[in-house]
Amino acid sequence: MVTTTTKDLFLNPRAFFDAKKAEGESLKVPVLIVLAIGIVSAISAYVLALPFLEYLPPEVAGLGPVFAAFGSVVALIMAIVMWVVFAGVFHGISALLGGEGSFKRTLAFVGYGYAPQVIGTAIYVVFVYLFMANLQLPPASAISADPTIFADLMKDPLIQIGGIISLLFVLWSANIWIFGVRAARNLSLKNAAITVGVPMALYILYVLFTLL
């Protein structure tokens, strides 16, 4: 049996997934990887929400921490949902290109591909922390007069730089996903690149549009 290492996943994904394919299908490690991203995203959502709680109406101000915690839970759940969505999209497109293999294996290999984003998401949280440390919120009256102020605040260079750095790690994941989908769905490298490349290009364009 060919053994694989974490280093292979990052630097030699073809060999990693070819070896993994010879093993039984398991979601244990992919679930842990995605949960790690979800937890870091939840922390980021909580930190971002805290300063804005003072703008809540007096009648619900006491529920501020509950709202912030709810946002964190949503961020955690969304990480899992996006994992399943990306795997579903890749599985569907690869089926149109003649791909064969179980959805469980596709899901597992896409989960492994999330590994670089654990680092990227953690770096983004650092930029969020720096943004919050220097944040000067306008008075409530100004926000009432112009609700778009919140959106403008999120255009801060620190948030944009953190988002772009995070996108670089998404691109790293996309490269790993190409080899993962190739192995999981018995595709040629060209068809695997199409399967992953088209939806990822659309996703990255969308994120850039929201960031800039």
Side-chain angles (χ1 to χ4, degrees), residues 17-196:
F17 287 116
D18 284 346
K20 278 293 175 188
K21 191 175 179 180
E23 302 176 4
E25 296 179 0
S26 172
L27 294 173
K28 182 178 178 181
V29 174
V31 164
L32 293 176
I33 292 172
V34 175
L35 279 179
I37 294 174
I39 291 170
V40 176
S41 299
I43 294 171
S44 173
Y46 190 83
V47 170
L48 268 174
L50 284 180
F52 299 103
L53 298 182
E54 63 182 88
Y55 295 101
L56 290 172
E59 57 271 21
V60 295
L63 296 175
V66 176
F67 291 147
F70 178 75
S72 296
V73 172
V74 170
L76 175 60
I77 293 174
M78 282 305 297
I80 298 171
V81 169
M82 291 305 294
W83 170 33
V84 177
V85 168
F86 275 128
V89 170
F90 296 157
H91 198 81
I93 295 176
S94 64
L96 297 175
L97 296 174
E100 297 178 342
S102 72
F103 179 69
K104 183 178 179 180
R105 190 180 293 281
T106 303
L107 190 63
F109 284 11
V110 171
Y112 278 113
Y114 267 100
Q117 294 186 55
V118 177
I119 304 170
T121 307
I123 291 175
Y124 179 72
V125 171
V126 172
F127 277 87
V128 168
Y129 176 79
L130 293 173
F131 165 70
M132 300 303 292
N134 297 290
L135 181 62
Q136 293 183 340
L137 288 172
S141 57
I143 293 178
S144 299
D146 183 8
T148 63
I149 287 178
F150 278 135
D152 292 339
L153 286 174
M154 298 311 293
K155 299 291 184 183
D156 185 276
L158 282 172
I159 294 295
Q160 291 178 324
I161 294 171
I164 290 172
I165 291 175
S166 182
L167 270 185
L168 295 177
F169 286 88
V170 172
L171 287 172
W172 193 355
S173 281
N175 177 65
I176 293 175
W177 283 334
I178 290 173
F179 293 99
V181 169
R182 167 191 163 273
R185 302 288 286 154
N186 296 305
L187 290 173
S188 66
L189 187 59
K190 175 184 175 182
N191 283 344
I194 294 172
T195 297
V196 174

